[in-house]
Amino acid sequence: MTDPSDANELRARLTAEQYRVCREKGTERAFTGRYWNHHEAGVYRCVCCGAPLFSSRTKFDSGTGWPSFHAPATANGVREIEDTSHGMVRTEAVCRSCGAHLGHVFPDGPPPTGLRYCINSASLEFERDPDAA
Ligand code: FE
């Protein structure tokens, strides 16, 4: 795995949109990312460092145009930080391993958690479950 803290390496490897979202806390436009309407079984990894962040098992159709999950894939993969930018108090979700910006967490998700992890497709790299039908 390449060093995810190396900005030059990331700029070379990521698209401009991926870099803007992950490293400059950007947000992709709704309904434009590659995963908001993606339904295959597998794991969504951090596009920067490869850490497993979300599973298709917790993905749901939020209608927002961003991939949405009711929980992270592992207990420690996603770090949540209070974000007061843009005149709002929100919870930012970042990759605990490399600090990549992922999106935000909102308290209006479905059971069992009631949370909605609203994540940019640009922060993710999907890996299909080879055992899925
Ligand atoms: Fe990462």
Side-chain angles (χ1 to χ4, degrees), residues 7-133:
N8 289 329
E9 188 276 324
L10 280 176
R11 277 196 191 277
R13 180 161 58 87
L14 302 184
T15 68
E17 175 76 345
Q18 287 171 331
Y19 191 91
R20 183 181 74 83
V21 170
C22 292
R23 296 294 149 179
E24 298 172 350
K25 301 188 187 301
T27 301
E28 72 196 16
R29 281 191 297 124
F31 302 102
T32 65
R34 54 182 173 164
Y35 296 135
W36 69 271
N37 196 24
H38 184 257
H39 297 96
E40 286 185 286
V43 61
Y44 293 84
R45 294 182 179 276
C46 176
V47 75
C48 296
C49 77
L53 298 177
F54 295 98
S55 165
S56 59
R57 289 192 301 274
T58 64
K59 196 172 190 291
F60 68 99
D61 284 321
S62 63
T64 61
W66 289 283
S68 302
F69 305 86
H70 64 68
T74 67
N76 294 314
V78 176
R79 192 155 84 91
E80 298 177 19
I81 303 171
E82 183 175 291
D83 171 12
T84 57
S85 66
H86 303 290
M88 295 177 273
V89 179
R90 295 181 294 173
T91 301
E92 180 190 5
V94 306
C95 173
R96 186 179 295 277
S97 298
C98 78
H101 173 75
L102 305 175
H104 290 88
V105 190
F106 299 97
D108 58 7
T113 63
L115 297 175
R116 172 170 59 95
Y117 289 76
C118 183
I119 305 300
N120 291 281
S121 299
S123 301
L124 302 173
E125 183 71 50
F126 178 75
E127 181 180 292
R128 196 165 165 274
D129 178 354
D131 297 327

